[in-house]
Amino acid sequence: MSLIYKNNYELRKFVAPEIITGLDARLSVGRYIINLGGKKPMIVTDPSVSGQLWFSEILNNIESNDINYEIFEGVSENPRASETMDGAEQFLLEGCDLIVAIGGGSPIDCAKGISVVTSNGGYILDYEGVDEIRLPGPPLICIPTTAGTAADVSQFAIINDSVHMVKKAIISKKIVPDLALIDPVPLMTMSSHLTACTGMDALTHAIEAYVSNAQSALTDVHALEAIYLLRKFIEDAIRPDRSIETMYQMMLGSLLAGLAFSNASLGAVHAMAHSLGGYLDLPHGECNSILLSHIVGKNYESVPERYRLIAKKMGIATDELDDNNLKSKLTEHIAALRERVGISSKFEVPSLNDAMLDQMTENALMDPCMVTNPCVLSPNDVRDIYAGILVARP
Ligand SMILES: [Fe+2]
């Protein structure tokens, strides 16, 4: 079966940073700081990675190039607007001129937010939405330490508005990093659960990009290869005896998914995950993992030929199945994969009421990622899915 390019003649753009992949790619950082004209970088990271040996090797590499740096590690799991503003203040106060983000999506998104505020001023959440940023920020080098968010190559930054309990998406080519150093070594110290959640997040990126209304021939090839790699390697990746080769394949899968979604955008899974994760402060990858099979079930009929190719890339024998049977098979396959990597089907929350469900539904329907979902979901569709995956703690 060949690819189906339904938007053959519509205009599309594709942006990406410079990307270095391979073993010890992180140790090119000092040379690239100099190449990009940096004299005093600010390293944006979080305490969960700063104790690792591979992290000190990055610092040693920077120091060996006679470069002084500042460290900002006040970033929580869902980076808050206030943390971004604190980081921007420190950047300006210390006279920094370049940012090195080291970590998963949270430090990288926070670093993007810092870069926006340092050049454009104002408050980070003023830049919510698509193409609201006027000036590019200081050079940004990213060293991702999970195979999931691909914030290191994307045009997206997700910042938590903790006052209104919602995550805001900032989407602009002005926040595409200048350089991504894609190295499998940091992945070896991820926990099994983090590997599972981030890997399922990456798989969600690839699937949502492939069925997005804004897909293109360029995003399709990346999305399909990412689905193949992530499905093939995620179960090996969570084992204690995983190899560096396995983690390299996961990293590639995440990178390809990132290139796809950065340019094709996402869909209802992410719109609902942003709302859910923002309201209840839940981990992003876990939200996506739980929502994915539900949204595939809702979306399937709008682009059945695309879901058929996704199923094929996931290893499902599709030839004998009509669309109805394939829809069930694919949703079951995704749910079974989630179970096998140790992620449950529901969230337990301290309390649950109608007002919470209504608010989360409203926030999800306003999220920019909802615009590129292949079909329009009704408020009842969204609310029913939330009601089905949230359970009040007894
Ligand atoms: Fe994501």
Short mmCIF file of all heavy atoms in Angstrom, two decimals, residues 148-149 201-202 204-205 261 266 270 274 284 288, ligand 1:
data_model
loop_
_atom_site.label_atom_id
_atom_site.label_comp_id
_atom_site.label_asym_id
_atom_site.label_seq_id
_atom_site.Cartn_x
_atom_site.Cartn_y
_atom_site.Cartn_z
N GLY A 148 11.19 10.94 24.10
CA GLY A 148 9.76 11.15 24.17
C GLY A 148 9.29 12.48 23.67
O GLY A 148 8.66 12.57 22.62
N THR A 149 9.61 13.55 24.38
CA THR A 149 8.93 14.81 24.06
C THR A 149 9.40 15.42 22.75
O THR A 149 8.63 16.11 22.10
CB THR A 149 9.20 15.86 25.15
OG1 THR A 149 10.58 16.20 25.09
CG2 THR A 149 8.88 15.34 26.52
N ASP A 201 4.52 8.56 24.71
CA ASP A 201 4.31 9.95 24.27
C ASP A 201 4.82 10.12 22.84
O ASP A 201 4.13 10.69 21.97
CB ASP A 201 5.05 10.90 25.24
CG ASP A 201 4.86 12.37 24.90
OD1 ASP A 201 3.82 12.72 24.30
OD2 ASP A 201 5.75 13.18 25.25
N ALA A 202 6.02 9.58 22.58
CA ALA A 202 6.60 9.69 21.23
C ALA A 202 5.73 8.96 20.20
O ALA A 202 5.49 9.47 19.10
CB ALA A 202 8.02 9.13 21.23
N THR A 204 2.58 8.52 20.39
CA THR A 204 1.41 9.37 20.21
C THR A 204 1.72 10.53 19.26
O THR A 204 0.90 10.88 18.39
CB THR A 204 0.92 9.93 21.58
OG1 THR A 204 0.76 8.84 22.48
CG2 THR A 204 -0.38 10.68 21.45
N HIS A 205 2.92 11.12 19.40
CA HIS A 205 3.31 12.21 18.48
C HIS A 205 3.24 11.72 17.03
O HIS A 205 2.73 12.41 16.15
CB HIS A 205 4.75 12.67 18.75
CG HIS A 205 4.92 13.33 20.08
ND1 HIS A 205 6.13 13.34 20.75
CD2 HIS A 205 4.04 13.99 20.87
CE1 HIS A 205 5.98 14.01 21.89
NE2 HIS A 205 4.73 14.40 21.99
N PHE A 261 5.69 15.80 14.18
CA PHE A 261 4.63 16.57 14.86
C PHE A 261 4.96 18.06 14.94
O PHE A 261 4.05 18.91 14.96
CB PHE A 261 4.30 15.99 16.24
CG PHE A 261 5.04 16.58 17.40
CD1 PHE A 261 4.69 17.82 17.93
CD2 PHE A 261 6.08 15.89 18.01
CE1 PHE A 261 5.37 18.35 19.03
CE2 PHE A 261 6.76 16.42 19.09
CZ PHE A 261 6.40 17.65 19.60
N LEU A 266 -0.46 18.30 16.22
CA LEU A 266 -0.91 17.10 16.92
C LEU A 266 -2.43 16.98 16.82
O LEU A 266 -2.99 17.36 15.81
CB LEU A 266 -0.41 17.17 18.37
CG LEU A 266 1.12 17.07 18.50
CD1 LEU A 266 1.61 17.65 19.81
CD2 LEU A 266 1.57 15.61 18.37
N HIS A 270 -3.32 15.08 22.50
CA HIS A 270 -2.53 16.10 23.18
C HIS A 270 -3.39 17.23 23.73
O HIS A 270 -3.11 17.76 24.81
CB HIS A 270 -1.43 16.63 22.26
CG HIS A 270 -0.18 15.81 22.37
ND1 HIS A 270 -0.06 14.59 21.79
CD2 HIS A 270 0.97 16.02 23.07
CE1 HIS A 270 1.13 14.09 22.09
NE2 HIS A 270 1.78 14.93 22.87
N HIS A 274 -3.08 17.96 27.59
CA HIS A 274 -2.67 19.27 28.14
C HIS A 274 -3.68 19.74 29.19
O HIS A 274 -3.31 20.23 30.25
CB HIS A 274 -2.58 20.32 27.02
CG HIS A 274 -1.47 20.05 26.05
ND1 HIS A 274 -1.49 20.49 24.75
CD2 HIS A 274 -0.30 19.36 26.19
CE1 HIS A 274 -0.38 20.09 24.13
NE2 HIS A 274 0.35 19.40 24.98
N HIS A 284 2.75 14.13 31.61
CA HIS A 284 2.29 14.24 30.23
C HIS A 284 2.24 12.88 29.50
O HIS A 284 1.23 12.54 28.87
CB HIS A 284 3.23 15.20 29.49
CG HIS A 284 2.97 15.33 28.04
ND1 HIS A 284 1.85 15.95 27.53
CD2 HIS A 284 3.67 14.90 26.96
CE1 HIS A 284 1.89 15.91 26.21
NE2 HIS A 284 2.97 15.27 25.83
N ASN A 288 -1.12 10.91 27.83
CA ASN A 288 -1.24 10.51 26.43
C ASN A 288 -1.43 9.01 26.29
O ASN A 288 -2.24 8.55 25.48
CB ASN A 288 0.03 10.89 25.65
CG ASN A 288 0.05 12.36 25.32
OD1 ASN A 288 -0.97 12.95 25.06
ND2 ASN A 288 1.23 12.94 25.36
FE FE B 1 3.69 14.90 23.83
#
